[in-house]
Amino acid sequence: MEKQVVDDLREVFQSGRSRPLQYRKQQLRALLRLITERQADIEQALKQDLNRNTYNTSLFELISIENDIKLAESDIADWAAPQPVKKNLNSALDDAYIKPEPLGVVLIIGTWNYPWAMILQPLVGAIAAGNAAVVKPSELSEHSARLMKELLPLYLDKEMYQVVTGGVPETQELLKQRFDHIFYTGSSMVGKLVMEAAARHLTPVTLELGGKSPCYIDKNCDIAVACRRITWGKFANCGQTCIAPDYILCEPSIQDRIVEEIQKTLLEFYQKDPKSSPDYCRIINTRHFDRILALMNECTVALGGESDHSQCYIAPTVLRDVLPHFKIMQEEIFGPLLPIVTVNGLSEAINFINTREKPLALYVFSSNKTVIKRMLTETTSGGVTVNDVLMHYTLDTLPFGGVGNSGMGRYHGRHTFNQLSHHRACLIKSFAMESLNDARYPPLTAARLHKANCAAIGDASLKQHIPLPTLLFFKVFSLKNHFKSI
Amino acid sequence: MEGQKQVLEKLRGAFRSGVTLPVHFRLTQLEAMMSLLEDNETQILEAMHEDLAKPKFEAVLSEIDMVVNDLCYTISNLQTWMQPTYVGTNLATKLDDCFVRREPLGIVLIIGAWNYPLQLILSPLIGAIAAGNCAILKPSEISRATEKLLAELIPKYLSQECYAVICGGAEETKKLLENRFDHIFYTGSQSVARCILQAAAVHLTPVTLELGGKCPCLIYGRIDMKSAAKRLVWAKFFNAGQSCVAPDYVLCTAETRDMLLPFMKEALESFYGSDPQQSQDMGRIVTDRHWDRLIDLLKKSEGKIVIGGESDKKTRYIAPTVLVDVKESDVLMQEEIFGPILPILTIKSLDEGINFMNEREKPLALYAFSDESQVVTTVLERTSSGGFCSNDGIVHMTLSGLPFGGVGASGMGNYHGRWSFETFSHKRGCMLRGWGLERVNVLRYPPYTESNLSWLRWATTSKKKGWAGCSIM
């Protein structure tokens, strides 16, 4: 079945239907209609999947998707236009440019924590770039998967974009097929399997993975504001966000204050009993619920810690004096547990971060420019927000993606379009000025070589670096050497 | 001789120390590479001549000067490239500093190929150094003399703490690939590329694959046959056809073919004389094994040899050879030729030619020769390939501004000029927020309300042309 889907899509893609910009814009507009007309259905599905409330759904999923669609529709002509490049003397009369082209059939594998954004944002780029696409929503967010399978063919060209649902066997079957690009969001472990499957067909991949995103709080900062922002980013979607601050690094002297401020903020956000707050989500399923609870084992609970298996509810929890060897520090938490690990200052924090895998996001809170500069220049990560969390994700002009274990490739806004396009180098020449070409043809003569070199190195930048007399000297000198042995 | 693991540990220690970060260090290393080329040009030319009988003319033009150009271009522009690029913001982030930082990846592995043994190692290395990485170079063991020379010269000119050459064959490469790198840059064949990609998957290492394929050359319509023949012959027989972007085969009508052949003969004669084997400007096949493969293809081909066909095993020589009446099923059409053999297939229409190319794997380069701009445009619009050049061959890869790379079976990723720098960099999205405007942030905090949501929506929508305003409920 999966093979048939891909074969059919390839045939439709090859018909050229997705090439005209008008077609792509039409599909994008249809996608926008899907989101706006069926918003209530989407919210309902998310409520059933994650107990997500409507506000969160809009803020964390729908607004980003809408913005991406509107941006793509408005700017697509610009994005798809050939981009001229600088020429040298040899190509002075030619047209040289980079032409973005569709890749073909792309596979988009989504994940369950933001089931709509993780599928539709890449899909926007795939459509804008002129590709056909297979979309494979996560079976863990089953209501959203079912709804997506129902709605997409009602709005989009169902021959060009298809939804395949199912679990591991269906995904494995899909991965045996040949795609022109695979866009995967999920865990590093499965990311390796996706890349391995892609290797068989030499298929390029974009992997949006995870990791432990550290959050360093400098003692020189507005701790109250820092804690509010961190609390927001950590406990939204019940901590099930790939760029949620995973753990806090701070000096021991401010740990108590941090706990106090988080406590105040939690009360403000979710009131005394987060379980009954309409704004607090649940864990996706019992397997993850059990996994997250087990992480608390060795830890000292500073705040929260309550749970309810029947609802997959875990209270917003802060753990203090966590040691690096604890289990909770060995894997991405992906839940509402916030460990605090104490360090003696910035250098130790930087070292702590650098001895671990490169994270998807890194956060630093400080009023001291030197601290911020050191964090930026002495560490690496997919992205960074300073003095806040999550926000770099929301700006579509910033490329969003991981590095090392946290992923490869990037997207959002124009970056998705670029990621899912082939940038074809084009040189359009005429037959004129054939005499210029004489310099490169055999048989070798000193004069020919010199002429060929001058024409090929016509870049202004080249001449800027090497003063002309030196350049000429080098050329004459090297020519002399060339011909010694001939 | 240090073992592979020790070399890697040394490089990792050097990278962690931060020594490759300052622009001054990178420029010094690039300038040292320039000196390496200037000081040792004779030895380099001799080595390549030993490996491939590479004519000095070709070696200078396509190897040394390509690298020198890239070096100059990179040295001139590096400081600019290293600057963070500021991006547009929306209302919610108006007061923030939002930019993209280019950061080094760490330790990169560069695996070269034998056909341009200098350029295919040093060009990627330029990008790796410029981007602040450490690097392990694995030159091809097939171009033995160049491999040996690189192993001797690189440690003499470049920092031994940061860059190392590891020599060896398939076994050593396999062992090397078990290690973890931060990027692997490979030039070579598709079959080896699959193994490399699989090894990279184990560590989630990103790769750049510069592969090959059959680069078609479509000749159609009204055309300056004499110039076309010269350019085609030059591009095809350069390096004895052993270029990943050499026109692999020609598609044209029977009439075009009949007009083309005499001009091709004339061009060949003017380039290499009446006996190319005597010309200093004609290259040789790299090894006996490769020569055997090509001769075998010629023997099994059902096409008719109309130019060349001579060969000499002792010197690994094959004459510039052109065959006509080659069919789709011919042995010459089943694999990348990578030698001085040019099959001409006849087509009846432009459509037929385009469909023929589209039924095959996407090539690294695609060529269209025609004086009719409509023909060129049609071919460009209806096909895909790594790069495209009309009315010439190979030269599109000499422009620093153009990215050089494949698509589909011909590869992934690209390089040259600034593209090399970008390939070996991580583009880190950074947002620096202030402490003020916490009042605006309040809009996003629970308890959630509808009116907060609509304000947020308004503040976070990117203002684009065509969109008059924002919706406030």
Side-chain angles (χ1 to χ4, degrees), chain A residues 65-198:
Chain A
I65 301 169
E66 274 176 44
N67 278 346
D68 256 5
I69 297 175
K70 289 175 183 169
L71 180 68
E73 210 214 332
S74 132
D75 288 10
I76 193 174
D78 195 33
W79 296 353
Q83 300 141 38
V85 302
K86 211 156 86 157
K87 302 181 281 195
N88 57 24
L89 259 179
N90 249 341
S91 45
L93 297 180
D94 307 325
D95 276 337
Y97 52 84
I98 300 166
K99 184 170 173 291
E101 298 185 341
L103 292 166
V105 182
V106 316
L107 170 62
I108 299 170
I109 302 177
T111 187
W112 53 262
N113 58 338
Y114 295 94
W116 294 84
M118 300 294 106
I119 286 270
L120 296 186
Q121 274 188 277
L123 182 60
V124 168
I127 295 173
N131 300 292
V134 175
V135 145
K136 164 68 190 66
S138 169
E139 69 281 14
L140 294 190
S141 41
E142 54 174 309
H143 298 94
S144 294
R146 210 176 300 134
L147 186 62
M148 206 178 280
K149 182 144 176 107
E150 179 201 322
L151 292 184
L152 235 65
L154 291 181
Y155 286 81
L156 299 187
D157 180 347
K158 57 176 175 276
E159 290 183 337
M160 191 69 75
Y161 316 103
Q162 293 207 35
V163 184
V164 171
T165 49
V168 171
E170 285 80 8
T171 311
Q172 282 175 337
E173 203 47 48
L174 263 181
L175 285 170
K176 287 193 187 138
Q177 312 312 318
R178 184 180 181 181
F179 291 94
D180 299 290
H181 195 100
I182 298 177
F183 192 111
Y184 169 76
T185 305
S187 73
S188 301
M189 191 186 74
V190 177
K192 289 180 185 172
L193 299 174
V194 170
M195 193 171 168
E196 208 206 340

Side-chain angles (χ1 to χ4, degrees), chain A residues 55 66 103 200 229 358 380-381 384 386 388 397 422 425 429 434 440 444 453 457 461-462 482, chain B residues 41 57 65 69 72 76 88 103 105 194 231 362 385 388 391-392 426 429 431 433 438 443-444 457:
Chain A
Y55 181 99
E66 274 176 44
L103 292 166
R200 267 174 250 137
R229 297 177 180 186
K358 297 174 187 176
T380 189
S381 62
V384 182
V386 172
D388 208 337
T397 46
H422 167 53
K429 301 191 71 145
E434 178 57 11
R440 75 187 195 205
L444 163 67
N453 280 330
I457 58 172
S461 53
L462 177 66
H482 291 321
Chain B
E41 194 169 287
F57 185 91
D65 279 0
N69 271 351
C72 292
S76 299
E103 302 183 342
L105 295 166
R194 278 190 191 92
R231 296 176 185 193
K362 295 175 189 176
S385 61
F388 176 90
N391 298 328
D392 212 335
H426 166 54
M431 181 182 283
R433 311 207 81 194
E438 186 57 10
L443 293 176
R444 73 191 196 200
R457 215 183 195 109

Side-chain angles (χ1 to χ4, degrees), chain B residues 20-88:
Chain B
T20 58
L21 296 181
V23 65
H24 176 76
F25 174 86
R26 306 181 201 189
L27 286 173
T28 310
Q29 295 303 307
L30 292 172
E31 273 150 14
M33 201 194 294
M34 188 81 88
S35 303
L36 185 161
L37 294 169
E38 286 175 13
D39 297 347
N40 300 281
E41 194 169 287
T42 312
Q43 290 98 296
I44 292 171
L45 294 177
E46 273 167 12
M48 288 196 282
H49 192 77
E50 194 183 316
D51 286 330
L52 280 152
K54 203 178 269 258
K56 290 195 162 57
F57 185 91
E58 288 189 3
V60 168
L61 211 55
S62 68
E63 297 241 39
I64 296 183
D65 279 0
M66 287 265 308
V67 179
V68 166
N69 271 351
D70 218 352
L71 271 170
C72 292
Y73 188 73
T74 304
I75 290 170
S76 299
N77 291 290
L78 184 57
Q79 285 194 303
T80 310
W81 295 350
M82 283 173 68
Q83 294 310 305
T85 41
Y86 282 80
V87 299

Side-chain angles (χ1 to χ4, degrees), chain A residues 319-341:
Chain A
L319 307 154
R320 58 178 298 136
D321 299 314
V322 172
L323 295 177
H325 66 268
F326 284 5
K327 186 148 195 278
I328 200 170
M329 290 306 293
Q330 309 315 317
E331 61 182 76
E332 187 177 355
I333 296 165
F334 225 70
L337 308 183
L338 181 56
I340 304 178
V341 177

Side-chain angles (χ1 to χ4, degrees), chain A residues 198-402:
Chain A
R200 267 174 250 137
H201 297 293
L202 289 174
T203 300
V205 300
T206 302
L207 302 175
E208 296 278 330
L209 309 176
K212 294 180 78 59
S213 299
C215 179
Y216 177 68
I217 307 179
D218 184 36
K219 59 181 190 281
N220 267 326
C221 80
D222 187 336
I223 295 185
V225 172
C227 288
R228 273 180 106 205
R229 297 177 180 186
I230 292 168
T231 307
W232 167 74
K234 175 69 180 189
F235 299 108
N237 211 37
C238 212
Q240 297 163 119
T241 305
C242 46
I243 46 169
D246 188 277
Y247 63 97
I248 289 177
L249 287 170
C250 68
E251 288 185 40
S253 57
I254 55 171
Q255 186 176 205
D256 287 339
R257 176 87 197 283
I258 290 172
V259 172
E260 192 188 307
E261 291 298 333
I262 295 179
Q263 185 170 35
K264 268 194 227 158
T265 310
L266 282 172
L267 200 60
E268 191 194 314
F269 287 1
Y270 307 115
Q271 295 81 56
K272 272 213 188 109
D273 179 23
K275 196 167 167 190
S276 46
S277 163
D279 301 331
Y280 191 70
C281 300
R282 296 294 181 262
I283 304 302
I284 182 75
N285 60 26
T286 51
R287 179 168 68 86
H288 279 279
F289 174 87
D290 292 335
R291 176 189 68 80
I292 297 166
L293 268 192
L295 293 176
M296 271 205 281
N297 280 343
E298 308 148 285
C299 307
T300 308
V301 176
L303 297 172
E306 303 87 8
S307 60
D308 180 349
H309 191 275
S310 68
Q311 280 191 35
C312 283
Y313 165 79
I314 299 178
T317 301
V318 177
L319 307 154
R320 58 178 298 136
D321 299 314
V322 172
L323 295 177
H325 66 268
F326 284 5
K327 186 148 195 278
I328 200 170
M329 290 306 293
Q330 309 315 317
E331 61 182 76
E332 187 177 355
I333 296 165
F334 225 70
L337 308 183
L338 181 56
I340 304 178
V341 177
T342 53
V343 286
N344 293 322
L346 180 62
S347 297
E348 198 181 312
I350 289 175
N351 197 49
F352 188 96
I353 293 168
N354 285 344
T355 46
R356 282 160 178 72
E357 293 293 349
K358 297 174 187 176
L360 185 55
L362 187 145
Y363 303 110
V364 48
F365 286 79
S366 180
S367 303
N368 184 331
K369 284 202 169 80
T370 311
V371 168
I372 295 171
K373 184 162 182 217
R374 277 196 66 196
M375 255 305 174
L376 276 184
T377 52
E378 294 178 38
T379 65
T380 189
S381 62
V384 182
T385 301
V386 172
N387 296 332
D388 208 337
V389 295
L390 312 189
M391 294 302 289
H392 63 285
Y393 179 94
T394 67
L395 189 59
D396 58 32
T397 46
L398 284 176
F400 181 76

Side-chain angles (χ1 to χ4, degrees), chain B residues 100-149:
Chain B
V100 179
R101 254 176 71 85
R102 267 107 180 133
E103 302 183 342
L105 295 166
I107 316 292
V108 314
L109 170 63
I110 299 171
I111 303 178
W114 53 259
N115 56 337
Y116 292 90
L118 189 83
Q119 189 221 115
L120 296 177
I121 277 272
L122 294 188
S123 242
L125 180 59
I126 292 171
I129 295 175
N133 300 288
C134 290
I136 292 200
L137 307 182
K138 164 66 194 75
S140 169
E141 71 283 11
I142 294 175
S143 41
R144 220 175 283 271
T146 312
E147 180 200 34
K148 193 156 160 260
L149 190 60

Side-chain angles (χ1 to χ4, degrees), chain B residues 51 103 165 246 326 355 390 425 440 471:
Chain B
D51 286 330
E103 302 183 342
V165 181
V326 174
N355 291 338
S390 66
S425 299
V440 177
S471 57

